[in-house]
Amino acid sequence: MTTTKGVLFDFSGTLLRIESTESWLRAALTASGTAMDEDGIARSAAALERAGALPGGSSPVEVPAELAGLWEVRDCEARHHRALYTGLARQVPLPDPELYDALYDRSRAAEAWQPYPDAVEVLAELHRRGIRIGVLSNIGWDLRPVLRAHGLDRYVDVCVLSYEHGIQKPDRRLFALGCRELGLDPAAVLMVGDDRTADGAATALGCSFLPVDHLPVDRRPDGLRPVLDLVG
């Protein structure tokens, strides 16, 4: 049996969780200096949730036909990611057109993300054990500043981000790249993620896989700790 010498973590829903849609909207309103009454905020937040406009949040109830192509390749290029998510947000009428870009910008801010309660503890312990650590994410922007702001970057050896390579999970080439960046054979690497299809595809390359649940941070206090039992 091959000893696990490296761990690749997904980002959103695995190490950190995006804020609620209502919190996201309120922050964008504040940033743009736009006023809305409480009922309007609640209605718009619910509509944005249904539209799937918050990156890292819920998927759209229905992807508009004109955005279907972008949805499939959203994490392959930064411009695709922005175009898709601002396009989804524009399905919801808001009082100021500048809000759509303000919402997208907020979704990339460190303040919009909260680490899961055990994230720092688990990464620190893996680092202490000499385990190689990577973040491998389907994403359309640079998450490194978010890791840095929350004190996680000091434990991460590599970041493999889909938009920087033009390929996205479940494409096995992204996992292969992650293993190469770690300097390890796939059989020595554990992939941890909340998407059993996208993240679980690492097993096709020979990695092992640990699923976690994409829950609010207060409902998943120790979902990452099983990693420590699987890694020597």
Side-chain angles (χ1 to χ4, degrees):
M1 182 176 178
T2 304
T3 301
T4 299
K5 298 177 180 178
V7 183
L8 290 168
F9 290 93
D10 175 51
F11 173 70
S12 173
T14 299
L15 287 176
L16 299 96
R17 167 85 181 212
I18 192 70
E19 65 190 330
S20 71
T21 307
E22 184 172 320
S23 171
W24 173 58
L25 175 57
R26 288 182 183 277
L29 289 168
T30 299
S32 65
T34 306
M36 285 182 76
D37 61 40
E38 288 299 311
D39 286 345
I41 290 173
R43 285 194 303 271
S44 295
L48 288 164
E49 180 91 8
R50 289 192 298 274
L54 174 59
S58 300
S59 294
V61 172
E62 183 178 359
V63 178
E66 68 272 19
L67 297 176
L70 276 177
W71 176 259
E72 295 302 321
V73 296
R74 62 193 180 277
D75 296 314
C76 286
E77 291 187 29
R79 64 189 179 93
H80 293 338
H81 196 270
R82 177 182 278 275
L84 172 75
Y85 283 102
T86 54
L88 290 171
R90 286 190 178 95
Q91 307 300 306
V92 179
L94 294 175
D96 185 338
E98 292 184 3
L99 273 171
Y100 301 108
D101 283 320
L103 284 167
Y104 187 78
D105 292 341
R106 171 66 184 186
S107 73
R108 299 181 298 170
E111 296 80 12
W113 293 88
Q114 186 176 358
Y116 281 94
D118 55 347
V120 171
E121 171 195 338
V122 169
L123 292 184
E125 176 59 19
L126 291 173
H127 185 265
R128 186 193 69 78
R129 294 183 189 180
I131 300 299
R132 295 276 291 165
I133 299 170
V135 173
L136 189 146
S137 177
N138 277 356
I139 199 163
W141 49 275
D142 188 1
L143 56 76
R144 295 174 185 88
V146 177
L147 296 177
R148 192 176 309 122
H150 291 289
L152 302 179
D153 65 308
R154 71 193 70 178
Y155 307 116
V156 175
D157 298 297
V158 301
C159 285
V160 177
L161 312 183
S162 61
Y163 84 99
E164 293 182 338
H165 303 284
I167 48 177
Q168 59 190 38
K169 297 177 285 186
D171 192 319
R172 62 187 292 167
R173 291 177 296 169
L174 200 65
F175 301 110
L177 180 59
C179 293
R180 286 199 301 272
E181 290 284 321
L182 290 178
L184 296 171
D185 186 272
V189 175
L190 170 68
M191 178 72 209
V192 182
D194 66 298
D195 189 322
R196 285 159 174 78
T197 299
D199 298 314
T203 58
L205 191 69
C207 300
S208 50
F209 173 58
L210 175 70
V212 294
D213 294 322
H214 189 154
L215 294 170
V217 291
D218 59 351
R219 291 175 52 199
R220 210 194 77 192
D222 53 8
L224 294 171
R225 288 203 179 98
V227 174
L228 301 178
D229 297 327
L230 297 172
V231 177

